[in-house]
Amino acid sequence: MIEVVAFLPVEVGVCKACDLARNVGIKATVSLEGNELSQLLEILAKLGERSVRFTNPMSLRGLYLMLKYRTGKLPLVIYNGKLIHSGPMNATDRDKILEILGTETD
């Protein structure tokens, strides 16, 4: 399973708690700066059908994962419990993530 810890646009549901909060008028998500979300989605689209979980870093799970991997740099890309990327993305990082995720099987 691939897990991405990143701030997501309001249009994307993060978890049930965030959806419930939105129903009562609390904004639980913020927009991702730059084009990192589009880069992540581009990477995931190239991988075909794989299980992906998006986690808001401000949720309990997101905070737990940042503590577990000892980083506050976002986005985090975690594959089968192993941190494979943290921090802003560039072309080299995209290629590295694709190489790691493309060569391993679930």
Side-chain angles (χ1 to χ4, degrees):
M1 176 202 257
I2 302 166
E3 184 160 12
V4 177
V5 179
F7 287 111
L8 301 173
V10 177
E11 295 82 31
V12 180
V14 177
C15 62
K16 285 186 178 184
C18 294
D19 290 337
L20 291 173
R22 186 175 54 228
N23 289 339
V24 295
I26 299 171
K27 183 179 175 185
T29 58
V30 296
S31 296
L32 187 66
E33 292 184 20
N35 62 352
E36 291 178 353
L37 182 59
S38 63
Q39 290 178 3
L40 284 171
L41 294 176
E42 177 185 329
I43 291 168
L44 297 173
K46 290 180 180 180
L47 298 175
E49 293 193 24
R50 294 230 186 153
S51 178
V52 178
R53 173 192 288 171
F54 283 95
T55 302
N56 186 331
M58 300 311 286
S59 67
L60 286 176
R61 179 165 181 78
L63 293 172
Y64 164 75
L65 290 171
M66 287 190 294
L67 288 171
K68 178 180 178 181
Y69 295 107
R70 297 180 180 154
T71 183
K73 297 178 183 177
L74 296 174
L76 302 180
V77 180
I78 302 163
Y79 179 63
N80 287 341
K82 180 181 174 189
L83 179 68
I84 60 172
H85 177 77
S86 68
M89 283 195 187
N90 57 39
T92 307
D93 296 329
R94 263 196 328 255
D95 295 340
K96 179 184 138 194
I97 293 169
L98 277 171
E99 182 181 327
I100 292 169
L101 296 177
T103 56
E104 298 189 25
T105 57
D106 285 334

